Amino acid sequence: MPKHPIFLLAWPCLIRLIIFLTCCASQLLSFFFVSDCSPVILAMKTGKRLKGVVISRPIVYGNIAIELPTQKSNNTHKWTVFLRGPNGQDISSFIHKVEFKLHETFVNNNRAFKTAPYEVTETGWGEFEIITKIYFPLSSGEKPISLYHMLKLYPPDSQAQTWPKGKPVNNFFYDELIFSDPTEEFFDTLTKSAVGPEIPLKATGNHIFSLESEAAECKRLESAVSQVTEKYNEYKGRAQAAEIEIAELRRDIAALDAAR
Ligand code: SLL
């Protein structure tokens, strides 16, 4: 092919033009389908919101761990970290995805689940913080929520001596997902889900969070508050008495100084 000088000059320009057009196209595509202000995403997100409505759903998250009987490797414990309903119910109807971010010493340490059960079982040798990120369906317009959980393998120090061999260590928590001004669609999804807003009346097996345990916890907190209030009043009284004494001593010192 003859290499005319004009033709040679045009090549770099043509390549630049192709690169420029590719960049524009990818920007345009990501604006329409990925970015937060994309018209496509916004149209899905701006489902009508129910102003003034607050709806919550209970969850339980945390871990159980058990010491391995024989240690063939460095790993001393088998553990499971999980997110579930307070009675073990499936909460997937209002959850799009759950990600568990494990310590980087684990192979493939970012574990994602689009279906229940949302849990990871592993063997390991150390305790570390696990980040559980909960994503909600796109139609909810809700931002993901992150829970920070310290994986516990060992019993509390105070019980370490008496902890029976093979007894699992439980470290899980009750919490509530609270949605303000939910979209109509998401509100509908939440009200139809297997998990109601309430927790069970009584604890059963591993499902320890119940109205009964909540009432007991409230009593413990009330008693702690009254103990703290009592102590506070006692110390306040002592501080007031000390202030009066200081003022009296200051007056005495001033009188002595004046008499000198
Ligand atoms: C510690 N800072 O030192 C913590 C880190 C990491 C635990 C704990 C890996 C297991 C495996 C594992 O258990 N990592 O690779 O199979 O205690």
Side-chain angles (χ1 to χ4, degrees), residues 83-106:
L83 169 74
R84 55 167 168 76
N87 222 355
Q89 308 97 313
D90 181 359
I91 51 174
S92 58
S93 62
F94 57 90
I95 283 178
H96 167 60
K97 182 173 72 168
V98 177
E99 276 174 7
F100 295 95
K101 194 162 188 296
L102 310 180
H103 194 263
E104 53 266 24
T105 43
F106 284 90

mmCIF file of all heavy atoms in Angstrom, residues 83-106:
data_model
loop_
_atom_site.group_PDB
_atom_site.id
_atom_site.type_symbol
_atom_site.label_atom_id
_atom_site.label_comp_id
_atom_site.label_asym_id
_atom_site.label_seq_id
_atom_site.Cartn_x
_atom_site.Cartn_y
_atom_site.Cartn_z
ATOM 1 N N LEU A 83 -25.758 -14.070 59.796
ATOM 2 C CA LEU A 83 -26.781 -13.026 59.913
ATOM 3 C C LEU A 83 -28.101 -13.727 59.657
ATOM 4 O O LEU A 83 -28.254 -14.424 58.651
ATOM 5 C CB LEU A 83 -26.548 -11.935 58.854
ATOM 6 C CG LEU A 83 -27.688 -10.925 58.703
ATOM 7 C CD1 LEU A 83 -27.715 -9.954 59.876
ATOM 8 C CD2 LEU A 83 -27.559 -10.152 57.405
ATOM 9 N N ARG A 84 -29.062 -13.567 60.570
ATOM 10 C CA ARG A 84 -30.352 -14.244 60.388
ATOM 11 C C ARG A 84 -31.452 -13.520 61.137
ATOM 12 O O ARG A 84 -31.185 -12.540 61.856
ATOM 13 C CB ARG A 84 -30.257 -15.696 60.844
ATOM 14 C CG ARG A 84 -29.772 -15.870 62.272
ATOM 15 C CD ARG A 84 -30.019 -17.292 62.728
ATOM 16 N NE ARG A 84 -29.357 -17.645 63.959
ATOM 17 C CZ ARG A 84 -29.738 -17.270 65.181
ATOM 18 N NH1 ARG A 84 -30.796 -16.484 65.344
ATOM 19 N NH2 ARG A 84 -29.069 -17.642 66.260
ATOM 20 N N GLY A 85 -32.675 -14.028 61.020
ATOM 21 C CA GLY A 85 -33.787 -13.487 61.793
ATOM 22 C C GLY A 85 -33.650 -13.954 63.231
ATOM 23 O O GLY A 85 -32.943 -14.930 63.502
ATOM 24 N N PRO A 86 -34.340 -13.289 64.190
ATOM 25 C CA PRO A 86 -34.151 -13.640 65.604
ATOM 26 C C PRO A 86 -34.629 -15.036 65.957
ATOM 27 O O PRO A 86 -34.257 -15.577 66.990
ATOM 28 C CB PRO A 86 -34.962 -12.573 66.340
ATOM 29 C CG PRO A 86 -35.880 -12.012 65.339
ATOM 30 C CD PRO A 86 -35.255 -12.179 64.002
ATOM 31 N N ASN A 87 -35.463 -15.600 65.095
ATOM 32 C CA ASN A 87 -35.952 -16.954 65.365
ATOM 33 C C ASN A 87 -35.415 -17.915 64.323
ATOM 34 O O ASN A 87 -35.987 -18.962 64.065
ATOM 35 C CB ASN A 87 -37.481 -16.937 65.330
ATOM 36 C CG ASN A 87 -38.055 -17.755 66.458
ATOM 37 O OD1 ASN A 87 -37.315 -18.396 67.204
ATOM 38 N ND2 ASN A 87 -39.368 -17.756 66.559
ATOM 39 N N GLY A 88 -34.331 -17.489 63.694
ATOM 40 C CA GLY A 88 -33.734 -18.311 62.641
ATOM 41 C C GLY A 88 -34.440 -18.153 61.304
ATOM 42 O O GLY A 88 -34.157 -18.882 60.356
ATOM 43 N N GLN A 89 -35.384 -17.156 61.225
ATOM 44 C CA GLN A 89 -36.144 -17.026 59.978
ATOM 45 C C GLN A 89 -35.260 -16.569 58.809
ATOM 46 O O GLN A 89 -34.236 -15.947 59.012
ATOM 47 C CB GLN A 89 -37.273 -15.977 60.098
ATOM 48 C CG GLN A 89 -38.186 -16.141 61.239
ATOM 49 C CD GLN A 89 -37.753 -15.246 62.389
ATOM 50 O OE1 GLN A 89 -36.576 -15.197 62.745
ATOM 51 N NE2 GLN A 89 -38.694 -14.575 62.989
ATOM 52 N N ASP A 90 -35.772 -16.864 57.621
ATOM 53 C CA ASP A 90 -35.115 -16.442 56.391
ATOM 54 C C ASP A 90 -35.427 -14.945 56.192
ATOM 55 O O ASP A 90 -36.594 -14.554 56.166
ATOM 56 C CB ASP A 90 -35.698 -17.276 55.243
ATOM 57 C CG ASP A 90 -35.078 -16.936 53.914
ATOM 58 O OD1 ASP A 90 -34.211 -16.051 53.879
ATOM 59 O OD2 ASP A 90 -35.465 -17.569 52.914
ATOM 60 N N ILE A 91 -34.386 -14.139 56.061
ATOM 61 C CA ILE A 91 -34.622 -12.702 55.899
ATOM 62 C C ILE A 91 -34.335 -12.250 54.465
ATOM 63 O O ILE A 91 -34.249 -11.064 54.190
ATOM 64 C CB ILE A 91 -33.780 -11.882 56.910
ATOM 65 C CG1 ILE A 91 -32.297 -12.297 56.855
ATOM 66 C CG2 ILE A 91 -34.310 -12.019 58.326
ATOM 67 C CD1 ILE A 91 -31.385 -11.442 57.712
ATOM 68 N N SER A 92 -34.196 -13.249 53.569
ATOM 69 C CA SER A 92 -33.746 -12.905 52.213
ATOM 70 C C SER A 92 -34.774 -12.101 51.416
ATOM 71 O O SER A 92 -34.410 -11.487 50.429
ATOM 72 C CB SER A 92 -33.358 -14.160 51.448
ATOM 73 O OG SER A 92 -34.460 -15.022 51.392
ATOM 74 N N SER A 93 -36.056 -12.101 51.850
ATOM 75 C CA SER A 93 -37.045 -11.379 51.044
ATOM 76 C C SER A 93 -36.775 -9.877 51.024
ATOM 77 O O SER A 93 -37.175 -9.199 50.098
ATOM 78 C CB SER A 93 -38.462 -11.661 51.541
ATOM 79 O OG SER A 93 -38.585 -11.194 52.859
ATOM 80 N N PHE A 94 -36.096 -9.336 52.040
ATOM 81 C CA PHE A 94 -35.816 -7.895 52.010
ATOM 82 C C PHE A 94 -34.313 -7.601 51.949
ATOM 83 O O PHE A 94 -33.860 -6.501 52.253
ATOM 84 C CB PHE A 94 -36.499 -7.150 53.166
ATOM 85 C CG PHE A 94 -36.151 -7.630 54.548
ATOM 86 C CD1 PHE A 94 -35.085 -7.082 55.234
ATOM 87 C CD2 PHE A 94 -36.907 -8.624 55.159
ATOM 88 C CE1 PHE A 94 -34.777 -7.506 56.507
ATOM 89 C CE2 PHE A 94 -36.607 -9.053 56.438
ATOM 90 C CZ PHE A 94 -35.541 -8.503 57.120
ATOM 91 N N ILE A 95 -33.554 -8.623 51.574
ATOM 92 C CA ILE A 95 -32.105 -8.430 51.451
ATOM 93 C C ILE A 95 -31.645 -8.855 50.065
ATOM 94 O O ILE A 95 -32.076 -9.900 49.568
ATOM 95 C CB ILE A 95 -31.382 -9.209 52.576
ATOM 96 C CG1 ILE A 95 -31.539 -8.406 53.866
ATOM 97 C CG2 ILE A 95 -29.907 -9.449 52.265
ATOM 98 C CD1 ILE A 95 -30.947 -9.001 55.074
ATOM 99 N N HIS A 96 -30.813 -8.028 49.474
ATOM 100 C CA HIS A 96 -30.341 -8.360 48.134
ATOM 101 C C HIS A 96 -29.060 -9.192 48.200
ATOM 102 O O HIS A 96 -28.920 -10.181 47.483
ATOM 103 C CB HIS A 96 -30.099 -7.052 47.365
ATOM 104 C CG HIS A 96 -29.325 -7.237 46.103
ATOM 105 N ND1 HIS A 96 -29.768 -8.037 45.080
ATOM 106 C CD2 HIS A 96 -28.116 -6.740 45.716
ATOM 107 C CE1 HIS A 96 -28.865 -8.027 44.111
ATOM 108 N NE2 HIS A 96 -27.859 -7.264 44.472
ATOM 109 N N LYS A 97 -28.173 -8.778 49.120
ATOM 110 C CA LYS A 97 -26.872 -9.464 49.173
ATOM 111 C C LYS A 97 -26.226 -9.216 50.530
ATOM 112 O O LYS A 97 -26.436 -8.165 51.132
ATOM 113 C CB LYS A 97 -25.968 -8.891 48.068
ATOM 114 C CG LYS A 97 -24.615 -9.523 47.961
ATOM 115 C CD LYS A 97 -23.838 -9.037 46.749
ATOM 116 C CE LYS A 97 -23.334 -7.641 46.857
ATOM 117 N NZ LYS A 97 -22.367 -7.253 45.830
ATOM 118 N N VAL A 98 -25.474 -10.185 50.999
ATOM 119 C CA VAL A 98 -24.710 -10.002 52.242
ATOM 120 C C VAL A 98 -23.247 -10.360 51.960
ATOM 121 O O VAL A 98 -22.973 -11.402 51.362
ATOM 122 C CB VAL A 98 -25.262 -10.887 53.388
ATOM 123 C CG1 VAL A 98 -24.400 -10.745 54.646
ATOM 124 C CG2 VAL A 98 -26.705 -10.521 53.707
ATOM 125 N N GLU A 99 -22.366 -9.470 52.374
ATOM 126 C CA GLU A 99 -20.930 -9.731 52.196
ATOM 127 C C GLU A 99 -20.270 -9.832 53.561
ATOM 128 O O GLU A 99 -20.513 -8.986 54.427
ATOM 129 C CB GLU A 99 -20.262 -8.549 51.475
ATOM 130 C CG GLU A 99 -20.368 -8.591 49.987
ATOM 131 C CD GLU A 99 -19.822 -7.307 49.352
ATOM 132 O OE1 GLU A 99 -19.244 -6.460 50.064
ATOM 133 O OE2 GLU A 99 -20.009 -7.166 48.147
ATOM 134 N N PHE A 100 -19.449 -10.843 53.748
ATOM 135 C CA PHE A 100 -18.662 -10.966 54.981
ATOM 136 C C PHE A 100 -17.207 -10.726 54.606
ATOM 137 O O PHE A 100 -16.657 -11.462 53.771
ATOM 138 C CB PHE A 100 -18.786 -12.368 55.580
ATOM 139 C CG PHE A 100 -20.174 -12.719 56.042
ATOM 140 C CD1 PHE A 100 -21.041 -13.422 55.222
ATOM 141 C CD2 PHE A 100 -20.612 -12.356 57.316
ATOM 142 C CE1 PHE A 100 -22.315 -13.752 55.652
ATOM 143 C CE2 PHE A 100 -21.884 -12.687 57.756
ATOM 144 C CZ PHE A 100 -22.744 -13.392 56.923
ATOM 145 N N LYS A 101 -16.625 -9.699 55.211
ATOM 146 C CA LYS A 101 -15.211 -9.425 54.909
ATOM 147 C C LYS A 101 -14.368 -10.025 56.027
ATOM 148 O O LYS A 101 -14.399 -9.560 57.167
ATOM 149 C CB LYS A 101 -14.971 -7.923 54.787
ATOM 150 C CG LYS A 101 -13.644 -7.598 54.166
ATOM 151 C CD LYS A 101 -13.618 -6.167 53.671
ATOM 152 C CE LYS A 101 -12.387 -5.845 52.867
ATOM 153 N NZ LYS A 101 -11.156 -5.934 53.615
ATOM 154 N N LEU A 102 -13.624 -11.080 55.699
ATOM 155 C CA LEU A 102 -12.804 -11.785 56.690
ATOM 156 C C LEU A 102 -11.390 -11.210 56.707
ATOM 157 O O LEU A 102 -11.027 -10.413 55.837
ATOM 158 C CB LEU A 102 -12.734 -13.281 56.354
ATOM 159 C CG LEU A 102 -14.057 -14.003 56.069
ATOM 160 C CD1 LEU A 102 -13.786 -15.474 55.767
ATOM 161 C CD2 LEU A 102 -15.030 -13.863 57.237
ATOM 162 N N HIS A 103 -10.601 -11.677 57.641
ATOM 163 C CA HIS A 103 -9.189 -11.270 57.731
ATOM 164 C C HIS A 103 -8.461 -11.693 56.455
ATOM 165 O O HIS A 103 -8.798 -12.716 55.851
ATOM 166 C CB HIS A 103 -8.564 -11.969 58.950
ATOM 167 C CG HIS A 103 -7.257 -11.404 59.341
ATOM 168 N ND1 HIS A 103 -6.069 -11.957 58.935
ATOM 169 C CD2 HIS A 103 -6.947 -10.327 60.107
ATOM 170 C CE1 HIS A 103 -5.074 -11.244 59.434
ATOM 171 N NE2 HIS A 103 -5.573 -10.262 60.154
ATOM 172 N N GLU A 104 -7.479 -10.884 56.055
ATOM 173 C CA GLU A 104 -6.816 -11.189 54.767
ATOM 174 C C GLU A 104 -6.013 -12.489 54.774
ATOM 175 O O GLU A 104 -5.586 -12.941 53.705
ATOM 176 C CB GLU A 104 -5.975 -10.007 54.247
ATOM 177 C CG GLU A 104 -4.971 -9.430 55.166
ATOM 178 C CD GLU A 104 -5.537 -8.217 55.940
ATOM 179 O OE1 GLU A 104 -6.757 -8.097 56.121
ATOM 180 O OE2 GLU A 104 -4.716 -7.426 56.384
ATOM 181 N N THR A 105 -5.844 -13.112 55.953
ATOM 182 C CA THR A 105 -5.140 -14.397 55.971
ATOM 183 C C THR A 105 -6.013 -15.516 55.386
ATOM 184 O O THR A 105 -5.535 -16.624 55.170
ATOM 185 C CB THR A 105 -4.743 -14.769 57.412
ATOM 186 O OG1 THR A 105 -5.829 -14.476 58.279
ATOM 187 C CG2 THR A 105 -3.514 -14.021 57.868
ATOM 188 N N PHE A 106 -7.312 -15.230 55.174
ATOM 189 C CA PHE A 106 -8.197 -16.249 54.595
ATOM 190 C C PHE A 106 -8.184 -16.151 53.076
ATOM 191 O O PHE A 106 -8.161 -15.038 52.528
ATOM 192 C CB PHE A 106 -9.636 -16.083 55.099
ATOM 193 C CG PHE A 106 -9.808 -16.571 56.498
ATOM 194 C CD1 PHE A 106 -9.611 -15.716 57.575
ATOM 195 C CD2 PHE A 106 -10.132 -17.898 56.752
ATOM 196 C CE1 PHE A 106 -9.729 -16.168 58.879
ATOM 197 C CE2 PHE A 106 -10.256 -18.359 58.054
ATOM 198 C CZ PHE A 106 -10.055 -17.496 59.118
#
